[in-house]
Amino acid sequence: MPPEERKAYTDAINCIHSQPSNLDNAQYPAAVNKYQDYAVVHTEKTGQVHLSGFFLTWHRYFLSLFEKDLRDTCGYQGRFPYWDFAATVDDLETSVEFNGDEYSMSSNGAPNGTDPIILGPALTIPHGSGGGCIESGPFKDWTATLGFIDPLFLVSGQPLPNTTYNYNASCLIRDLNSYVAQTYTNYDLVETTAHSANASDLEFNLNGVIGGSSLGVHSAAHFTVGGFMSSIHVSVQDPIWWMLHTNIDRIYASYQINNPEMAYDLYGTETANNAPPSPNVRLDTIEPDWGYFDSSSIPVRDLLNITSGPFCYQYDQYVS
Ligand SMILES: [Cu+2]
């Protein structure tokens, strides 16, 4: 997008960030503004809407609710952008997304630490080039209020700690990681994902095997940014989250175009990693709600097609 449109987009995000929270402060002390409400709602739903049959459709609708808020509350009139992460693997820090100028999504974090990052017993990645607070750009002064949550909660199905929604202030941290970007989010892998053989293959190409030795393009894009983006529950706190997930939605829409006969096939149960065990998600299964942003009962089938039901949008480019 041209610089003015990018600036209008980040201005609108800052506008949401300046609105008061609509959540109960006693229950959710971390919900200090409306932007953090989105992060809190995502944290609450994480155990149902990742590594589950709801992943792609729940996020698709969550993106549309945020887009509508940018337009209705903050007067945004531009396009809802995506971060084509395969296009930036070789120039992350100087990309229009992360170069830190006033038209960007803010910079890398300041250099902080060099230790390798252990993602699980079978997977260690090198430290990125940051690790500290973001240094410049439109979100420089933001405060993250939700602390890190171990992704193992997702794998085990254990309830989140009582302290999850406590007010836990820090700067926005990033640790841009070219190694992860080049190794796990390159064009070949994005193309492979958009041409997945079926819905279970798509899930594997997006999310890999948590605790295993590989990363899918979705998980890897999170680890490419690092910091809060590496803690899936609370990752919405970093506003690059929306552009990352819009790119995942674009890859999903591409898969649906590339595989018309399987476009509406589903894979996964109603719980992350099927822990605790739950039924398979079907077309008429009701989605977990989106908190106060939309508490209505919407069946999965209504969220499968980007030009029907509540949706009417398209992408400028698909992954063919
Ligand atoms: Cu998510």
Side-chain angles (χ1 to χ4, degrees), residues 42-43 45-46 49-50 55 58-59 62 218 222 232-233 235-236 241 245:
H42 180 268
T43 304
K45 303 296 171 182
T46 291
V49 303
H50 300 85
F55 175 58
W58 189 91
H59 281 81
F62 194 50
H218 163 244
H222 275 262
I232 186 149
H233 294 81
S235 53
V236 174
W241 190 92
H245 267 275

Side-chain angles (χ1 to χ4, degrees), residues 113-233:
T114 53
D115 290 345
I117 298 161
I118 300 164
L119 295 180
L123 186 60
T124 298
I125 56 175
H127 200 283
S129 53
C133 303
I134 62 172
E135 296 183 289
S136 63
F139 311 118
K140 181 171 97 68
D141 299 322
W142 278 33
T143 301
T145 59
L146 292 158
F148 284 89
I149 296 176
D150 193 322
L152 279 177
F153 282 98
L154 203 53
V155 180
S156 68
Q158 301 270 317
L160 294 177
N162 293 334
T163 53
T164 296
Y165 303 106
N166 288 2
Y167 181 77
N168 205 332
S170 94
C171 63
L172 268 191
I173 298 165
R174 282 181 184 163
D175 183 19
L176 294 183
N177 196 314
S178 298
Y179 169 82
V180 171
Q182 290 166 347
T183 310
Y184 298 109
T185 74
N186 59 58
Y187 269 124
D188 284 350
L189 292 168
V190 167
E191 267 175 44
T192 302
T193 306
H195 287 278
S196 296
N198 52 50
S200 83
D201 199 33
L202 177 65
E203 165 66 22
F204 173 77
N205 286 325
L206 287 170
N207 290 316
V209 176
I210 303 286
S213 60
S214 73
L215 292 171
V217 292
H218 163 244
S219 358
H222 275 262
F223 292 121
T224 292
V225 182
F228 286 98
M229 289 296 280
S230 296
S231 177
I232 186 149
H233 294 81

Side-chain angles (χ1 to χ4, degrees), residues 9-10 12-14 16-17 34-42 58-70 80-85 105 139 142 174 222 225 229 234-250 290 293 315:
Y9 173 67
T10 57
I13 294 177
N14 266 311
I16 296 292
H17 188 258
K34 196 180 190 189
Y35 187 89
Q36 288 300 104
D37 289 357
Y38 282 94
V40 164
V41 166
H42 180 268
W58 189 91
H59 281 81
R60 172 172 280 175
Y61 193 62
F62 194 50
L63 294 169
S64 78
L65 293 171
F66 185 67
E67 177 183 358
K68 188 168 162 20
D69 213 1
L70 294 180
F80 194 64
Y82 58 87
W83 169 34
D84 184 0
F85 42 71
M105 294 298 288
F139 311 118
W142 278 33
R174 282 181 184 163
H222 275 262
V225 182
M229 289 296 280
V234 300
S235 53
V236 174
Q237 296 187 107
D238 185 329
I240 193 63
W241 190 92
W242 304 96
M243 287 178 66
L244 187 161
H245 267 275
T246 303
N247 199 38
I248 297 298
D249 185 62
R250 186 178 71 98
W290 295 264
F293 297 109
Y315 288 101

